[in-house]
Amino acid sequence: NMTYNEFKVVFEGIKELFLNDKTSKPQHAYAIFLKLKNSQKFKSEFLIRKIKELSELDYKIKSGEIDPGIAVSMYIISFYKEN
């Protein structure tokens, strides 16, 4: 397992991939470190399925098929119900 200090070194080379939508600045390295660390709790098949579902949800929100607030709430709830 990678320590936070080791991750910070790696993060310097990839931080432009983690830009904050509002500020256009990279998210804090520790926040990304925790997210990646927690993602290890899930099987890759589960995460791939959830990414596909999120893509479909994004389309439905942008096309006006579903209310964004309800859609995101349902997605978050389903994420933890299935795991």
Side-chain angles (χ1 to χ4, degrees):
N1 288 338
M2 184 180 292
T3 66
Y4 174 61
N5 286 331
E6 293 169 330
F7 177 76
K8 284 194 301 187
V9 174
V10 173
F11 186 72
E12 280 302 311
I14 60 170
K15 65 183 177 183
E16 68 276 354
L17 299 174
F18 298 94
L19 297 179
N20 183 309
D21 290 337
K22 294 180 182 177
T23 65
S24 296
K25 294 181 182 178
Q27 296 180 37
H28 194 275
Y30 191 66
I32 302 300
F33 174 74
L34 290 178
K35 290 174 186 174
L36 291 173
K37 186 176 176 181
N38 288 333
S39 71
Q40 295 174 358
K41 296 177 183 177
F42 302 102
K43 293 181 180 179
S44 60
E45 296 85 10
F46 174 79
L47 294 173
I48 290 168
R49 186 173 72 251
K50 296 314 278 182
I51 289 170
K52 289 178 181 177
E53 288 175 13
L54 191 57
S55 176
E56 293 169 6
L57 190 63
D58 180 57
Y59 175 80
K60 289 179 180 180
I61 290 170
K62 289 179 178 174
S63 65
E65 290 181 44
I66 191 166
D67 177 79
I70 293 171
V72 171
S73 296
M74 289 172 47
Y75 176 78
I76 291 170
I77 291 168
S78 76
F79 198 93
Y80 290 100
K81 284 177 110 176
E82 290 180 38
N83 190 26

